Amino acid sequence: MPSDTSWLGSESFVNYMLASIGFWRFMGFNMVIYLTALQSIPSDLYEAASIDGANGWQKFIFITLPNIYKIIELNLFLTVSGALEVFDLPFILTNGGPAGASDTFVLKIVSTAFQFSNYGMASDMSVVLLLSVVIVLGIQRLLLSKGGK
């Protein structure tokens, strides 16, 4: 029995659908990054931990996590900055609809510049976006820097 739910046409579902599409789109890239990070950890560390009697959870907490922490931080940095500056998926799939439910700040900037020909305001909006991204990423960096180490 076919469902008549319009996933991209429903105001309550559209942002969840765009997020899941974005998640699926970048999952391969993230997996390659994490797989490379995991393969860069020397196996001698795991062997020594096994000899010392560490279980799998202890190996993860004390070996794996500290060794891939910088990669997690980088990936979170890229994900947050990409989420704040998202343009392509909402523009191509919904053009900000339905009823502006999937409108992003970047879509507003583009429409201000090219639909309403107000380039000065669009430039101001871009500067505000840049400053807000820098502030959010600066706060993220402070929170993840382990107390300034």
Side-chain angles (χ1 to χ4, degrees):
M1 181 152 111
S3 173
D4 60 348
T5 302
S6 175
W7 296 103
L8 292 173
S10 170
E11 291 180 38
S12 58
F13 286 125
V14 68
N15 286 322
Y16 295 115
M17 291 312 300
L18 290 173
S20 63
I21 292 167
F23 176 76
W24 179 257
R25 178 181 173 194
F26 292 106
M27 186 181 349
F29 173 75
N30 290 331
M31 288 300 108
V32 168
I33 296 293
Y34 285 124
L35 182 61
T36 305
L38 289 171
Q39 288 177 344
S40 71
I41 301 172
S43 60
D44 298 350
L45 294 174
Y46 292 111
E47 187 178 335
S50 294
I51 291 171
D52 289 341
N55 60 26
W57 182 249
Q58 291 169 329
K59 291 178 193 176
F60 176 74
I61 294 294
F62 296 111
I63 297 173
T64 306
L65 211 52
N67 279 299
I68 66 169
Y69 182 79
K70 289 294 182 185
I71 301 300
I72 294 171
E73 187 177 352
L74 171 70
N75 202 17
L76 190 59
F77 178 85
L78 293 173
T79 302
V80 169
S81 65
L84 292 173
E85 300 168 352
V86 69
F87 170 75
D88 52 352
L89 286 177
F91 180 74
I92 292 170
L93 294 174
T94 64
N95 200 17
S102 66
D103 221 357
T104 65
F105 196 68
V106 179
L107 281 173
K108 289 288 188 189
I109 292 170
V110 170
S111 67
T112 301
F114 300 114
Q115 185 178 0
F116 301 114
S117 298
N118 195 344
Y119 302 109
M121 181 175 281
S123 176
D124 293 342
M125 292 168 70
S126 299
V127 170
V128 169
L129 176 64
L130 173 69
L131 292 176
S132 62
V133 168
V134 167
I135 289 170
V136 168
L137 293 177
I139 291 170
Q140 175 186 335
R141 180 81 175 134
L142 284 174
L143 292 175
L144 293 177
S145 68
K146 292 184 179 180
K149 289 183 181 178

